[in-house]
């Protein structure tokens, strides 16, 4: 009876551990194409997600077509083969609920597309320098979340920079601890300098631990 009780406890503990959801709190999209070098960092905060944009080079006044600057958005899909930004699909906009361009007069941008970051928070305007660097900016977006409904979460997305509507550079949004779906021929595991997440070692350890617990439980039940 003692062995069976221990086995039951181990089995229940293993099931509980397997059902505990992973909490994702940070993601980074590092765009590097030609002279463009820009880092977009997303971090979970109480009010939503804090976004930091650090353009180190490449977005020059000579490249900029419109005085309003460069648009940038979160797109639904990862970057395609050979850095294909067209493979990223449209803006993150679950159920097509948001409007484009963004209606900034709506409370908390509820009438805007979730992924329309420049529409909600302003374009990236080229500075008066030779490098194309833009002073870092930071803001909190209450619409962005790593959790919640799959169709609106930040998992498996990409960030795209536009110049008068044209997609000029992009990168995958790599979320710490998240294992992306297996890449296919049109979506490589590495795009430029930004790799898609690989197998999470903690997840592998958890599976191994649960497997061992299951074997021990089975042996005890057999006694």
């Amino acid at each position: 009876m003692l062995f069976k009780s221990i086995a039951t406890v181990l089995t229940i503990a293993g099931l509980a551990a397997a059902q505990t959801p992973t909490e994702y709190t940070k993601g980074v999209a590092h765009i590097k194409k030609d002279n463009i070098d820009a880092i977009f960092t997303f971090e979970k905060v109480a009010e939503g997600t804090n976004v930091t944009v650090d353009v180190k080079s490449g977005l020059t006044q000579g490249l900029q077509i419109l005085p309003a600057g460069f648009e940038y958005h979160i797109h639904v899909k990862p970057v395609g083969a050979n850095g294909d930004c067209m493979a990223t699909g449209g803006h993150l906009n679950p159920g097509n609920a948001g409007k484009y361009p963004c209606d900034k007069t709506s409370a908390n941008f509820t009438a805007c597309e979730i992924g329309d970051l420049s529409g909600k928070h302003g374009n990236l305007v080229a500075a008066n320098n030779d490098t194309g660097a833009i002073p870092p900016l930071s803001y909190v977006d209450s619409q962005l979340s790593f959790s919640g409904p799959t169709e609106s979460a930040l998992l498996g997305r990409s960030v795209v920079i536009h110049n008068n509507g044209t997609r000029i550079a992009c990168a995958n949004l790599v979320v710490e601890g998240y294992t992306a779906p297996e890449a296919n021929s049109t979506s490589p595991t590495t795009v430029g300098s930004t790799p898609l997440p690989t197998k999470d070692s903690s997840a592998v350890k958890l599976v191994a631990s649960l497997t061992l617990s299951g074997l021990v439980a089975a042996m005890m039940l057999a006694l």
Side-chain angles (χ1 to χ4, degrees):
M1 288 296 293
L2 176 60
F3 287 136
K4 289 186 177 181
S5 297
I6 295 175
T8 301
V9 170
L10 286 172
T11 302
I12 293 174
L15 289 173
Q19 294 173 357
T20 301
T22 302
E23 182 179 11
Y24 304 108
T25 60
K26 184 178 181 180
V28 176
H30 189 176
I31 295 178
K32 292 197 72 173
K33 182 179 181 181
D34 299 328
N35 294 325
I36 299 175
D37 187 351
I39 301 174
F40 299 80
T41 304
F42 302 80
E43 295 182 277
K44 179 181 178 181
V45 294
E47 300 82 6
T49 299
N50 186 81
V51 182
T52 301
V53 182
D54 185 7
V55 179
K56 299 181 179 298
S57 64
L59 298 186
T60 62
Q61 290 182 330
L63 178 64
Q64 180 175 292
I65 296 176
L66 298 177
F70 301 89
E71 310 97 338
Y72 66 103
H73 314 110
I74 298 172
H75 283 239
V76 176
K77 300 177 181 179
V79 177
N82 301 317
D84 181 13
C85 295
M86 292 303 297
T88 61
H91 303 165
L92 182 60
N93 185 30
N96 295 319
K99 297 180 180 180
Y100 186 81
C102 173
D103 179 8
K104 294 184 179 181
T105 62
S106 62
N108 297 320
F109 305 119
T110 52
C112 303
E113 295 178 337
I114 290 178
D116 185 12
L117 300 184
S118 56
K120 292 185 284 186
H121 306 285
N123 289 356
L124 301 174
V125 181
N128 185 19
N129 57 50
D130 296 330
T131 64
I134 296 175
L137 60 102
S138 182
Y139 52 82
V140 173
D141 192 313
S142 61
Q143 288 185 308
L144 301 180
S145 175
F146 291 98
S147 58
T150 303
E151 64 271 16
S152 62
L154 292 175
L155 306 179
R157 312 302 183 188
S158 57
V159 175
V160 179
I161 298 176
H162 301 252
N163 192 7
N164 191 26
T166 300
R167 306 181 187 198
I168 60 172
C170 56
N172 293 312
L173 174 51
V174 180
V175 177
E176 292 183 358
Y178 173 66
T179 302
E182 290 294 329
N184 53 38
S185 59
T186 60
S187 182
T189 55
T190 302
V191 179
S193 64
T194 308
L196 285 173
T198 55
K199 295 293 184 182
D200 184 7
S201 59
S202 61
V204 174
K205 291 178 181 178
L206 174 60
V207 172
S209 176
L210 293 177
T211 301
L212 179 60
S213 297
L215 289 173
V216 173
M219 292 173 63
M220 289 184 173
L221 287 172
L223 295 176

